[in-house]
Amino acid sequence: MQTTVQVGEQFTNNKTGETYTFHATAASTEGAYVQFDNFVPAGLAGPPTHLHPKQEETFTVLSGTLQVTVNGETRLLTEGETAVIPPQTAHTFDNRHGDDVTFRVTLTPALDSDLFFAGIVQAANKSRSGSMSLRQLAKLIHKQESRFQLVGPPAWLQNWLFNLLAKF
């Protein structure tokens, strides 16, 4: 797995076409934030509903329309619109409609989110399906500080399960 991400570096999921282009990394901002553009092709579902325990996440749409669900409330963001998601807030995004979308993501503080997102793409590119298995996700979460939590199962159960799966 990669140990650093450079400003300007791009990671593309070879199966889905989803792309992350980094504008700021944990190293370049001395840990203040990570910022990247996320290109999501039309028709692509987003991640499962999750939260970031210690980070604020901001989405700003650069082109297209992004469906964002925050605390169960869904809205469509169009070019120039922003959603700010505080720490500990359940959220997801989706692009199973219309056209391709590109949006800027900022995570504050950075923690190691650049490595986490790069790792997601690298693991997905090694799989036949173009997505990560639960075991791959567990290994990535276990290695990274910027743990996210799925909404639903209690955090203690997720931590126990991910730590267990990461050992295999």
Side-chain angles (χ1 to χ4, degrees):
M1 187 166 102
Q2 197 159 331
T3 57
T4 61
V5 174
Q6 302 299 316
V7 172
E9 198 164 2
Q10 189 173 78
F11 297 89
T12 301
N13 182 313
N14 296 329
K15 176 91 173 172
T16 67
E18 183 172 15
T19 302
Y20 303 103
T21 304
F22 285 87
H23 299 291
T25 65
S28 73
T29 66
E30 297 182 353
Y33 65 94
V34 165
Q35 188 175 74
F36 57 90
D37 289 351
N38 189 0
F39 168 78
V40 182
L44 194 63
T49 303
H50 63 281
L51 59 85
H52 303 280
K54 299 177 182 177
Q55 293 173 294
E56 176 182 273
E57 187 168 29
T58 303
F59 300 146
T60 301
V61 176
L62 303 176
S63 66
T65 301
L66 180 68
Q67 180 175 302
V68 177
T69 302
V70 179
N71 279 336
E73 194 172 307
T74 301
R75 67 182 218 180
L76 294 177
L77 299 178
T78 58
E79 188 173 327
E81 293 185 310
T82 297
V84 178
I85 302 141
Q88 297 286 339
T89 303
H91 66 283
T92 189
F93 64 84
D94 194 294
N95 191 30
R96 286 185 280 192
H97 60 277
D99 298 318
D100 298 343
V101 65
T102 301
F103 60 104
R104 183 152 296 159
V105 178
T106 305
L107 287 149
T108 307
L111 301 179
D112 53 6
S113 297
D114 45 2
L115 295 174
F116 180 76
F117 284 97
I120 287 173
V121 173
Q122 291 168 339
N125 283 343
K126 290 179 184 175
S127 76
R128 287 186 205 157
S129 67
S131 61
M132 296 178 66
S133 69
L134 184 58
R135 186 172 154 271
Q136 289 172 313
L137 179 61
K139 284 187 173 198
L140 185 60
I141 289 173
H142 184 71
K143 290 179 184 177
Q144 304 299 324
E145 175 187 330
S146 61
R147 295 175 188 236
F148 75 90
Q149 294 174 355
L150 299 172
V151 172
W156 67 266
L157 179 60
Q158 291 180 56
N159 291 336
W160 177 81
L161 179 62
F162 288 152
N163 288 334
L164 179 67
L165 288 172
K167 293 177 184 178
F168 297 100

